[in-house]
């Protein structure tokens, strides 16, 4: 229960950074909210690889490695998106910094979720 509360709190902090990067009057542009798409898409390759891989005892499989590759691409894209927006002056650099801080916190929260709740053979929501 404590892990779930800690993950919820850190997720709220990450989303607060993202909202501050968008909603502060000085910045006032909501383009960085498209980063939310990366947050939702990030765990999908892991879930697919978990369902497809037959041999769960192997140290590595091609499907799992491909899932890691796609997840890494999604995470790098989530960090690159606000930098590109700031570079073309669609958002200010301060907003970019807040969004990058939010990205770091949210992706660490997602990683923490998989480390805490994804240890069993089959991932199930009944562990809560």
């Amino acid at each position: 229960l404590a892990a779930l509360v800690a993950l919820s709190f850190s997720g709220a902090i990450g989303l607060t950074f993202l909202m501050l990067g968008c909603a502060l009057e000085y910045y006032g542009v909501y383009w960085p909210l498209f980063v939310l798409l990366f947050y939702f898409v990030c765990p999908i390759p892991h879930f697919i690889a978990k369902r497809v891989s037959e041999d769960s005892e192997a140290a590595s499989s091609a499907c799992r490695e491909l899932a890691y590759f796609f997840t890494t691409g999604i995470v790098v894209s989530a960090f690159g998106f606000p930098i590109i927006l700031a570079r073309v002056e669609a958002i200010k650099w301060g907003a970019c910094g807040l969004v990058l801080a939010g990205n770091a916190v949210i992706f660490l929260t997602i990683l923490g979720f998989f480390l805490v709740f994804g240890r069993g053979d089959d991932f199930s929501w009944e562990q809560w």
Side-chain angles (χ1 to χ4, degrees), residues 9 12 24-25 30 36 40 45 55 66 87 90 96 100 107 112 128:
F9 185 68
L24 285 178
E25 188 175 338
Y30 289 91
L36 289 172
F40 292 124
D55 189 14
L66 186 63
R87 180 82 170 119
C96 177
L100 291 177
F107 284 123
W128 296 6

Side-chain angles (χ1 to χ4, degrees), residues 1-44:
L1 185 63
L4 184 61
V5 171
L7 289 171
S8 300
F9 185 68
S10 65
I13 289 173
L15 288 176
T16 301
F17 278 130
L18 178 62
M19 290 299 147
L20 284 175
C22 297
L24 285 178
E25 188 175 338
Y26 180 69
Y27 303 131
V29 178
Y30 289 91
W31 286 110
L33 281 180
F34 282 108
V35 173
L36 289 172
L37 296 173
F38 294 111
Y39 299 160
F40 292 124
V41 173
C42 178
I44 291 175

Side-chain angles (χ1 to χ4, degrees), residues 5-124:
V5 171
L7 289 171
S8 300
F9 185 68
S10 65
I13 289 173
L15 288 176
T16 301
F17 278 130
L18 178 62
M19 290 299 147
L20 284 175
C22 297
L24 285 178
E25 188 175 338
Y26 180 69
Y27 303 131
V29 178
Y30 289 91
W31 286 110
L33 281 180
F34 282 108
V35 173
L36 289 172
L37 296 173
F38 294 111
Y39 299 160
F40 292 124
V41 173
C42 178
I44 291 175
H46 177 73
F47 289 143
I48 293 172
K50 194 94 164 161
R51 288 284 179 197
V52 170
S53 70
E54 302 87 24
D55 189 14
S56 62
E57 295 179 14
S60 178
S61 71
C63 184
R64 193 173 301 141
E65 296 296 327
L66 186 63
Y68 292 156
F69 176 76
F70 284 142
T71 303
T72 303
I74 292 167
V75 171
V76 168
S77 297
F79 279 96
F81 181 67
I83 294 172
I84 291 171
L85 285 177
R87 180 82 170 119
V88 299
E89 297 178 359
I91 63 173
K92 295 186 178 359
W93 283 102
C96 177
L98 286 169
V99 173
L100 291 177
N103 279 350
V105 173
I106 291 291
F107 284 123
L108 287 174
T109 302
I110 293 171
L111 176 67
F113 176 81
F114 282 114
L115 291 177
V116 170
F117 294 108
R119 288 190 181 147
D121 284 352
D122 286 332
F123 178 78
S124 68

